[in-house]
Amino acid sequence: AMRDTGAGSGDAVTSSNSQAQSTGEEYGLKIIRTAEVYVHSDNFDEDRDAITALVQELGGYITSQHTSGTALEPGENGYGRSLSLTVRIPSDSLDAFLSQSEGVGVVQESSIYEEDVTDQYFDTERRLEGYQTQYDRILALMDKAETVDELISIESELNRIYYQIESLTGSLQSWDARVNYSTVYYNLEEVRRASPVSLTLWERMQVSLQNTWDSIVLGSQNFVVWLYGALPALGLLLVLAGVAGLTVA
């Protein structure tokens, strides 16, 4: 469920990250951004659908999804179902995702990790260009080979260089995928009543009072259900007691 959330320290972090990302793109930096989000929800089904819709809206996709636990019964406290998502979001939409996802459930913790792979990336790119140039030069020697041994030697060297080219190309493609699409580990946990991490004394008293009242209501309901189910047995006991009394008399 989408909710209004007040401004907090998370807004400053998001703003700072946005500036850092903009600067990185301007100077051609290769930054891999990974986020983790932990959320409490008292409307699990609606919040699950809301976060899934948000991922799709921002052009992302879910790579893995796992749900565990059982739904909370009415009035039951504690924890119910738990949803774990691994999400890929376009890097330029990561800050928007984190900002808008604050309206889904109640965020308990949110963090972003950044890994700068710029040096490794461009070093690998230079090595790849060198191997490609070397491959083309050795390939040209094949037309000048005069013996079978020379051909075998040239082909062996070409195979070795080709393997290096494939390996370096794979590394660049992997980095590109992780730079262009950030990874978000999103965890949604069902609770009886979702509340912010930081509460005032009055808010804590209200939550405690409400939980106590919920427990009293649930206990009363359970007693009524037990009493209703026990009526036949109680009736039988009363009949037996009456019979026993008449027998003694």
Side-chain angles (χ1 to χ4, degrees):
M2 302 301 291
R3 312 183 184 191
D4 293 330
T5 55
S9 60
D11 298 290
V13 173
T14 299
S15 176
S16 175
N17 287 329
S18 298
Q19 294 174 1
Q21 181 183 5
S22 177
T23 303
E25 292 174 350
E26 181 180 350
Y27 291 98
L29 299 180
K30 300 294 181 179
I31 308 295
I32 296 172
R33 306 179 73 204
T34 304
E36 293 185 13
V37 183
Y38 296 88
V39 179
H40 281 175
S41 169
D42 50 26
N43 199 338
F44 188 84
D45 293 324
E46 185 176 340
D47 286 341
R48 177 192 56 203
D49 294 342
I51 201 65
T52 300
L54 179 59
V55 170
Q56 296 173 347
E57 178 185 337
L58 295 177
Y61 58 94
I62 297 172
T63 60
S64 69
Q65 177 175 331
H66 177 70
T67 303
S68 60
T70 57
L72 288 174
E73 297 296 332
E76 181 182 1
N77 292 319
Y79 296 93
R81 291 167 291 178
S82 178
L83 172 68
S84 297
L85 298 176
T86 300
V87 178
R88 300 298 302 277
I89 296 288
S91 295
D92 55 3
S93 297
L94 176 61
D95 293 323
F97 174 82
L98 295 176
S99 177
Q100 295 181 42
S101 68
E102 289 181 359
V104 180
V106 178
V107 177
Q108 303 296 301
E109 183 180 349
S110 179
S111 55
I112 299 178
Y113 308 94
E114 295 187 346
E115 179 184 2
D116 187 347
V117 295
T118 306
D119 291 342
Q120 300 98 304
Y121 186 94
F122 289 112
D123 178 64
T124 300
E125 199 171 53
R126 286 190 293 270
R127 290 170 59 198
L128 176 60
E129 291 173 356
Y131 276 118
Q132 288 172 332
T133 300
Q134 188 177 357
Y135 184 90
D136 292 338
R137 288 176 179 173
I138 294 177
L139 184 63
L141 294 177
M142 293 193 70
D143 294 334
K144 300 179 181 180
E146 297 179 354
T147 65
V148 173
D149 288 341
E150 288 179 347
L151 281 174
I152 293 175
S153 177
I154 291 173
E155 287 181 351
S156 176
E157 184 64 10
L158 286 175
N159 287 335
R160 185 188 69 81
I161 297 174
Y162 181 78
Y163 173 79
Q164 294 295 331
I165 290 175
E166 286 292 293
S167 177
L168 295 176
T169 299
S171 295
L172 291 176
Q173 290 174 342
S174 176
W175 277 322
D176 282 334
R178 295 169 63 196
V179 167
N180 294 332
Y181 275 78
S182 298
T183 300
V184 180
Y185 299 103
Y186 188 92
N187 299 275
L188 183 69
E189 194 158 29
E190 183 181 27
V191 295
R192 176 69 183 90
R193 180 170 288 100
S195 57
V197 176
S198 299
L199 295 176
T200 64
L201 177 60
W202 174 245
E203 288 172 334
R204 290 167 59 191
M205 291 171 63
Q206 287 180 311
V207 171
S208 178
L209 180 61
Q210 186 61 54
N211 288 337
T212 301
W213 175 251
D214 289 343
S215 298
I216 292 173
V217 171
L218 180 60
S220 300
Q221 291 174 345
N222 290 337
F223 175 75
V224 171
V225 172
W226 173 85
L227 183 62
Y228 180 79
L231 283 178
L234 292 175
L236 179 58
L237 288 176
L238 290 175
V239 171
L240 291 175
V243 172
L246 291 175
T247 301
V248 171

